[in-house]
Amino acid sequence: MKNYFIIFTFLSFILIGCNNEPTLQKYFVENSEDTNFITFDIAPSILKIDKSKLTAEQNKAMNSFEKMNIIAFKLNDSNKAQFDIEQKKITTILKDPQYQQLMKFSKGKEGASVSFVGDEENVDEFVFYANKKENGFAVIRVLGNDMNATNIVSLMSVLQKSNINIDQLKPLQELFQNK
């Protein structure tokens, strides 16, 4: 009888620990092989930045930055139904209280939002979501340790100075060009 209790307790902990709630990380993994999506990661090492030319604030931002995950859904005539489903999944995920919205923009059939996970001084993840009804949508996760809004602004200025191969970002750029 004691063995059954131990097994039951162990299985209970496993089942409680398994969270079936949707998250952006799960969404990225589940859709990474789908041909309707474009996915890529950007690690600090591919930015090719001369750190000696950065300000102290920019260095701090780079040190807090781990990577960027990007997923984009490219809308075409054959996947409009899936687009609506996928867009609803993303908006549902971003309504979870762990994603605290900083700002939201909308203009007709276009929109964007910026959210974060963590607290204001120790952000673990910034999430940029943008959609354009006739082109598709993109989600960018900026992951790091102890980031804050100032770090993100500094990181964006660093990205402008980087020697990243822009061709790697071409699919994302094409997504938001007018058809």
Side-chain angles (χ1 to χ4, degrees), residues 3 11 14 16-17 34 77 92 94 142 165:
N3 287 340
L11 289 175
I14 289 174
I16 290 169
D34 188 324
D77 292 334
T92 299
L94 292 177
V142 180
N165 181 354

Side-chain angles (χ1 to χ4, degrees), residues 28-101:
F28 275 61
V29 171
E30 290 169 358
N31 293 293
S32 64
E33 300 296 321
D34 188 324
T35 57
N36 289 308
F37 288 91
I38 302 163
T39 61
F40 50 99
D41 297 328
I42 298 175
S45 60
I46 70 165
L47 297 178
K48 300 177 186 169
I49 294 176
D50 182 358
K51 288 191 175 188
S52 67
K53 294 183 180 180
L54 298 179
T55 66
E57 191 173 286
Q58 289 171 328
N59 267 311
K60 183 179 177 187
M62 282 299 296
N63 290 334
S64 71
F65 169 59
E66 287 180 11
K67 66 180 174 179
M68 264 189 250
N69 301 132
I70 301 168
I71 191 165
F73 186 97
K74 179 83 170 149
L75 181 64
N76 59 42
D77 292 334
S78 65
N79 67 9
K80 288 181 181 180
Q82 185 182 0
F83 169 77
D84 291 334
I85 291 167
E86 299 301 330
Q87 192 173 27
K88 285 177 185 166
K89 286 180 184 178
I90 290 293
T91 56
T92 299
I93 291 169
L94 292 177
K95 286 180 184 176
D96 185 298
Q98 77 169 326
Y99 299 102
Q100 300 174 61
Q101 193 171 82

